[in-house]
């Protein structure tokens, strides 16, 4: 009964303050971005199309991440409001699970850093001699992505280490499906990833954009590369393939025919993605 009964978690004023502060910064930066675009008349500049084709996939990754985290914060809020013991369902240790304020704190903090990068990068002028853009501003988004990865893998007890390690363990089990018995948190996270296919493709674009040196000229030559197009399909299939293998494992363990039908759904999705890539 002690495990099943939800326990109230002490809220920290610093978390509430930080959430409000970063939410205000996010709103101010969005307003600043709109005003800069209007003041500089960027929408009428000659390089606007090239800028959007090359830079929008870079920015969109953080947009997907922040939106997903905001939706998760909404889930946590309603779970707690209606007394759903989500810490027990997911297998968190009591008291270590993140509340909706903590998730909002992380969401708006990431949004603030991403918007600072966007505003700093919003420069339509290149060096007339070299034809390159400022390397420092072009590398800001890559630096932010590396910072997110470093924080996620950081072994020190900062920024909710238990939750970060829980996410990494669950991610490992999703990748290794069907070698492990499928738990609730495993197929829940894999289901979430099937909604983030475009975000995974944005990560692939990062590798191409910065690895091939396109960031110096703000051009997008990735679609003309056969290796990029091949992995463009593979990256989109991985989340559905993981869910398919999870369904196969659950069908083997539970002998539930619904898992077979569910696996067939993901198999047909993989076929649809393959046909879409052929026609693209």
């Amino acid at each position: 009964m002690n495990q099943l009964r939800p326990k109230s978690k002490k809220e920290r004023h610093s978390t509430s303050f930080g959430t409000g502060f970063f939410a205000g910064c996010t709103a101010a930066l969005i307003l600043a971005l709109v005003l800069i675009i209007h003041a500089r008349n960027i929408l009428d500049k000659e390089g606007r199309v090239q800028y959007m084709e090359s830079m929008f996939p870079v920015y969109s990754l953080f947009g997907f991440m922040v939106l997903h985290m905001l939706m998760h914060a909404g889930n946590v809020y309603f779970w707690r409001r209606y007394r759903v013991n989500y810490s027990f369902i997911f297998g968190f240790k009591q008291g270590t699970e993140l509340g909706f304020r903590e998730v909002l704190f992380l969401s708006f903090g990431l949004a603030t850093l991403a918007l600072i990068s966007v505003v700093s990068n919003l420069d339509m002028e290149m060096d007339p001699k070299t034809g390159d853009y400022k390397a420092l501003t072009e590398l800001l988004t890559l630096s932010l992505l590396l910072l997110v990865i470093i924080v996620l893998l950081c072994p020190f007890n900062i920024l909710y280490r238990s939750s970060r390690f829980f996410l990494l363990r669950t991610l490992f089990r999703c990748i290794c499906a069907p070698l492990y018995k499928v738990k609730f948190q495993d197929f829940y996270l894999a289901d979430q990833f099937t909604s983030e296919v475009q975000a995974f493709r944005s990560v692939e674009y990062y590798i191409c954009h910065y690895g091939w040196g396109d960031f110096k000229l703000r051009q997008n030559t990735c679609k003309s590369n056969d290796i990029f197009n091949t992995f463009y399909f593979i990256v989109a299939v991985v989340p559905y393939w993981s869910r398919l293998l999870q369904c196969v494992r659950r069908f083997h363990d539970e002998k539930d025919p619904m898992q077979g039908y569910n696996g067939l759904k993901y198999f047909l999705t993989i076929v649809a993605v393959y046909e879409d890539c052929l026609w693209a």
Side-chain angles (χ1 to χ4, degrees):
M1 289 300 295
N2 288 332
Q3 290 181 333
L4 293 174
R5 184 181 296 111
K7 295 181 180 179
S8 58
K9 186 179 178 181
K10 184 178 180 181
E11 302 291 349
R12 296 183 177 182
H13 296 294
S14 59
T15 302
S16 299
F17 173 80
T19 302
F21 175 77
F22 285 124
C25 290
T26 300
L29 287 168
I30 291 175
L31 179 60
L33 183 62
V34 173
L35 292 177
I36 290 173
I37 293 175
H38 179 72
R40 295 183 182 178
N41 201 22
I42 290 178
L43 294 179
D44 295 329
K45 290 289 183 78
E46 184 178 351
R48 65 187 185 280
V49 176
Q50 179 184 351
Y51 180 85
M52 290 301 296
E53 288 180 350
S54 61
M55 298 307 300
F56 182 78
V58 174
Y59 300 145
S60 63
L61 173 61
F62 297 102
F64 287 127
M65 293 171 63
V66 172
L67 178 61
H68 201 119
M69 293 168 70
L70 290 175
M71 296 299 292
H72 182 66
N75 285 337
V76 174
Y77 170 77
F78 285 106
W79 290 337
R80 180 165 294 184
R81 179 176 180 180
Y82 293 102
R83 300 183 64 80
V84 176
N85 193 352
Y86 63 94
S87 62
F88 175 78
I89 296 173
F90 281 96
F92 289 113
K93 183 180 178 181
Q94 281 280 7
T96 63
E97 74 281 1
L98 296 184
F100 70 94
R101 289 184 179 86
E102 286 87 353
V103 180
L104 288 176
F105 170 74
L106 296 174
S107 304
F108 288 122
L110 180 60
T112 298
L113 294 176
L115 286 169
I116 290 174
S117 175
V118 172
V119 172
S120 302
N121 188 262
L122 199 62
D123 182 12
M124 304 293 289
E125 303 297 332
M126 66 171 63
D127 190 323
K129 295 182 179 179
T130 63
D132 295 347
Y133 292 87
K134 295 179 181 179
L136 178 62
T137 56
E138 295 302 308
L139 292 173
L140 281 175
T141 47
L142 177 62
S143 301
L144 180 56
L145 178 60
L146 293 176
L147 176 63
V148 172
I149 296 174
I150 290 172
V151 171
L152 183 62
L153 300 176
C154 179
F156 302 110
N157 192 15
I158 57 173
L159 283 178
Y160 317 115
R161 181 179 63 177
S162 60
S163 297
R164 290 189 285 109
F165 282 15
F166 179 85
L167 174 62
L168 292 174
R169 286 195 301 269
T170 307
L171 176 60
F172 178 78
R173 293 171 65 91
C174 291
I175 295 174
C176 294
L179 300 180
Y180 293 92
K181 184 176 181 180
V182 182
K183 299 181 180 179
F184 177 81
Q185 59 265 30
D186 300 334
F187 67 80
Y188 177 86
L189 182 62
D191 266 335
Q192 299 295 306
F193 284 155
T194 58
S195 302
E196 291 293 344
V197 170
Q198 200 58 42
F200 293 134
R201 282 175 166 173
S202 296
V203 174
E204 181 193 3
Y205 179 79
Y206 264 81
I207 298 173
C208 173
H209 185 68
Y210 289 100
W212 268 258
D214 287 352
F215 70 97
K216 296 179 181 178
L217 300 175
R218 282 187 183 170
Q219 59 184 6
N220 186 353
T221 61
C222 295
K223 289 295 183 69
S224 60
N225 189 292
D226 292 336
I227 298 177
F228 177 86
N229 292 328
T230 300
F231 278 94
Y232 196 75
F233 162 71
I234 295 175
V235 167
V237 163
V238 167
Y240 302 110
W241 180 253
S242 177
R243 281 295 292 126
L244 172 61
L245 295 180
Q246 286 181 344
C247 292
V248 171
R249 178 60 189 259
R250 293 188 68 186
F251 178 77
H252 176 268
D253 293 341
E254 303 171 13
K255 302 298 187 294
D256 183 3
M258 285 302 299
Q259 297 302 325
Y261 299 139
N262 205 25
L264 179 62
K265 177 186 69 175
Y266 289 107
F267 175 76
L268 294 177
T269 304
I270 294 173
V271 174
V273 172
Y274 176 70
E275 291 182 350
D276 180 65
C277 290
L278 289 179
W279 285 99

